[in-house]
Structure formats: C-alpha cells, structure tokens
Amino acid sequence: MNEMDFSIIIPVFNQEKYIKRCIESALEQNFDGNFEIIAIDDGSKDNSAKILEEFKDSKLKTYRNKNSGVSYSRNFGLQKAQGKYIVFLDADDYLEKDALKNFKAKFNNEPDIILAPFYVLREHKNDIKLCHPLNIKLYNFENLNIDNTEGNILDTNPELCTKAYKKDFLIENNIYFPNFKLAEDLPFFYKTIICAKTINMIEKPVYFYRKGHKETIRKDQHDAIFEIIGVISEGEKIIKKYKNFQKIKKAYTKNTIKICLYWFKKIKTLKGKKIFYNFCLKHIKPLKPCPKLLFKFYKGIFISNLVDILKNNY
C-alpha cells in the first residue's frame, strides 16, 4: 500500500453554513498523492452532521463525538491520522486547490513544519487580503528554526491552519493541544516552533481563512477572558523552558505585545478590558520591552478604547 502523504483534520461544531465548501475544497485537491480527510463532529446541534453524511467519498472519514471542545477534536484527529504530514483545516475555512501539491513540493528535506502564505476573507469588509507568514525578503525559504532566525520565526502567524506538520515530529515531541476552547493554537504554536529543527516556507498561498464573522467577547463572556489569560500564561511557560530563551526574548516580547493587543481589541466591555489590561501589564513588564515596543502597546490600547467609545460599545 502506498504511503499516505497527508491527513487533513477538520473539527466541526455548528458550521452548517460553511462545512460543505470546506469539505469540497479538501476533496477537490489537485494532488496525485494519497491523502485522507478526518472530520470530527463535536456534537453539533445544527445540520453539520447531516451535511457530512451526504458526502460519499472514501477519502472522507467522519466521526461524531459528544461536545468536548476543539482541542479534544484535533487531538482525536491526530490519533486517527495515517498521513506523513498533518494539515489542520477549520470548518468555516477552505483550502486552495493546489494546497497539498504545494506543500508536497517541500518534502525534499522532510521539514518538521512547512509555512505558507494564505488569504484572509474579511467578511466584515467584503474583501480578500493576501498574508505572508514572514517577511520573505529576510530569509531563505528552507532550513529555518528559532535559533538561526534569532527568534524572529515567532513573528509568523500563530494560526495552525496555514501550515503543514510532520506527524512524527509532533508525536516524538509529545505535542498536542491543551484543554482550552479559545485561542488554543497559541501554546501549540510555541511548542512546535521551539522544537522544530527545520522549517520550510512556500511562496504560493494554500488557505482561505475567514475573518469578521465571529462574535467579539461581550459582557456575558467573562469566562472567555480568563480563558485567553490562561492560554497566554500557558504559552509563556512553554517558551520560557526554551534553553536559549534570553537570545529570543526580544522577539518573544514583540510577539507577546502583538497577541495582547489582538485580544484586547476583541473585548467589548469596560470591565473586561480592565481585567485584561491589568493582566497584560503584569505579563509584559517583566519582559522589559524597549520604549518603542511599550509605546506601541499603550498606543494600541488607547486607539482600541477610543474606537469602542465612538461606537458606543460601552
């Protein structure tokens, strides 16, 4: 039997609006090798499970579990996966038709991770934006890692779905998803980046990532704020275990400020903003960011607050 090149893992929860397009994009890959699609329905209450059942293709393997969260579903998918490389796909996103073909082109030195550009579908603005994982002018496209980039590899997007991961690499380093239901890809991102010996990049985009269709964190979701705080704290524990942390501290600090600002903008209540702001200060100040980075943080907080005031979100 020929080796399975890829396993595409798709956690599904109440995505009846998007799941058909998602599965079709996986099945219609312009790829001559072997691949499988593992869809894990996480106890959906809408028609997601029914839509999955309508597909009759041997490449698609569907599982239905009780609702346990996206981390559980992805870990479940990893256990079932037979592919040499893992591609994660969210049920509200979809793949470019040559995604697997482009990833496979970088198999030559069997990298632990393959990064790729991706499209952001900004539904709130009705446009499409092309994003690159790194400033491609700064690095070669092969043999990157956290050391030879002086930590700047952390500047790539933390979303796991725009990458391919060597399955053996994940297993050998015991890399799985922690039990978080929000922003769960951040600890996974840090663990993969610090463990990877070889990271390759490809030039062509592989993924369509939807943005602007999900709700921000509002007054009835204070648990979500503490969930994010927990995720960021867990990520810090992982990164500080890295043996050369002091050498990458500047890059990590820059990355941390970017992540804190990203989540601060999603919080739309005054009480929630205060809670998260106080956490951010306690989290960032011990890293001793340079004045320029600290100014960027305060400026971002000010602008976010001003925008919310003008929109009467308080």
Side-chain angles (χ1 to χ4, degrees), residues 31 54 90 123 126 145 168 193 220 222 225 230 247 277 285 289 292 306:
F31 181 63
E54 292 174 356
D90 281 351
E123 294 197 349
N126 196 30
N145 56 51
D168 286 348
I193 290 295
D220 58 342
H222 282 301
I225 295 170
K247 292 183 179 180
Y277 175 74
K285 282 191 173 181
K292 184 178 179 180
L306 182 61

Side-chain angles (χ1 to χ4, degrees), residues 48-64:
S48 296
K50 182 178 179 181
I51 295 170
L52 286 172
E53 291 173 0
E54 292 174 356
F55 287 94
K56 307 299 180 183
D57 194 300
S58 60
K59 288 185 173 66
L60 176 61
K61 303 170 184 176
T62 60
Y63 300 89
R64 183 170 175 81

Side-chain angles (χ1 to χ4, degrees), residues 96-139:
E96 199 277 333
K97 65 179 181 179
D98 290 326
L100 299 187
K101 180 180 178 181
N102 291 331
F103 276 134
K104 180 71 180 290
K106 288 294 180 180
F107 273 21
N108 54 332
N109 62 340
E110 296 196 4
D112 295 322
I113 306 173
I114 306 173
L115 309 181
F118 58 99
Y119 294 108
V120 175
L121 303 176
R122 302 190 295 183
E123 294 197 349
H124 56 308
K125 295 185 177 181
N126 196 30
D127 66 3
I128 299 177
K129 181 181 179 182
L130 176 61
C131 296
H132 290 276
L134 287 171
N135 185 336
I136 60 176
K137 295 180 181 179
L138 297 180
Y139 306 113

Side-chain angles (χ1 to χ4, degrees), residues 40-206:
I40 307 100
D41 180 58
D42 189 35
S44 293
K45 297 178 181 179
D46 64 359
N47 290 317
S48 296
K50 182 178 179 181
I51 295 170
L52 286 172
E53 291 173 0
E54 292 174 356
F55 287 94
K56 307 299 180 183
D57 194 300
S58 60
K59 288 185 173 66
L60 176 61
K61 303 170 184 176
T62 60
Y63 300 89
R64 183 170 175 81
N65 298 328
K66 66 178 183 179
N67 182 250
S68 302
V70 66
S71 292
Y72 179 87
S73 292
R74 289 184 179 137
N75 289 334
F76 181 90
L78 278 173
Q79 292 174 355
K80 299 293 183 181
Q82 300 296 314
K84 184 175 182 179
Y85 279 83
I86 305 295
V87 173
F88 293 101
L89 174 59
D90 281 351
D92 51 350
D93 301 333
Y94 59 96
L95 293 174
E96 199 277 333
K97 65 179 181 179
D98 290 326
L100 299 187
K101 180 180 178 181
N102 291 331
F103 276 134
K104 180 71 180 290
K106 288 294 180 180
F107 273 21
N108 54 332
N109 62 340
E110 296 196 4
D112 295 322
I113 306 173
I114 306 173
L115 309 181
F118 58 99
Y119 294 108
V120 175
L121 303 176
R122 302 190 295 183
E123 294 197 349
H124 56 308
K125 295 185 177 181
N126 196 30
D127 66 3
I128 299 177
K129 181 181 179 182
L130 176 61
C131 296
H132 290 276
L134 287 171
N135 185 336
I136 60 176
K137 295 180 181 179
L138 297 180
Y139 306 113
N140 296 321
F141 291 124
E142 296 186 358
N143 305 321
L144 306 178
N145 56 51
I146 197 167
D147 287 322
N148 64 24
T149 61
E150 297 181 346
N152 288 315
I153 194 74
L154 291 172
D155 198 39
T156 188
N157 57 301
E159 290 85 5
L160 68 143
C161 291
T162 59
K163 306 169 179 68
Y165 302 88
K166 190 176 182 181
K167 184 185 176 185
D168 286 348
F169 157 72
L170 296 177
I171 293 173
E172 289 166 5
N173 288 282
N174 196 31
I175 302 176
Y176 294 96
F177 292 92
N179 189 27
F180 292 104
K181 295 183 179 180
L182 194 65
E184 73 292 333
D185 46 2
L186 186 62
F188 182 91
F189 168 72
Y190 282 140
K191 187 74 179 289
T192 55
I193 290 295
I194 65 174
C195 290
K197 295 179 181 178
T198 306
I199 301 172
N200 285 358
M201 286 203 299
I202 58 179
E203 299 178 61
K204 296 180 180 180
V206 301

Side-chain angles (χ1 to χ4, degrees), residues 204-222:
K204 296 180 180 180
V206 301
Y207 197 93
F208 289 86
Y209 172 72
R210 290 188 198 274
K211 186 177 181 181
H213 64 298
K214 298 176 182 178
E215 292 186 3
T216 52
I217 300 169
R218 298 190 180 278
K219 61 182 178 181
D220 58 342
Q221 293 179 286
H222 282 301

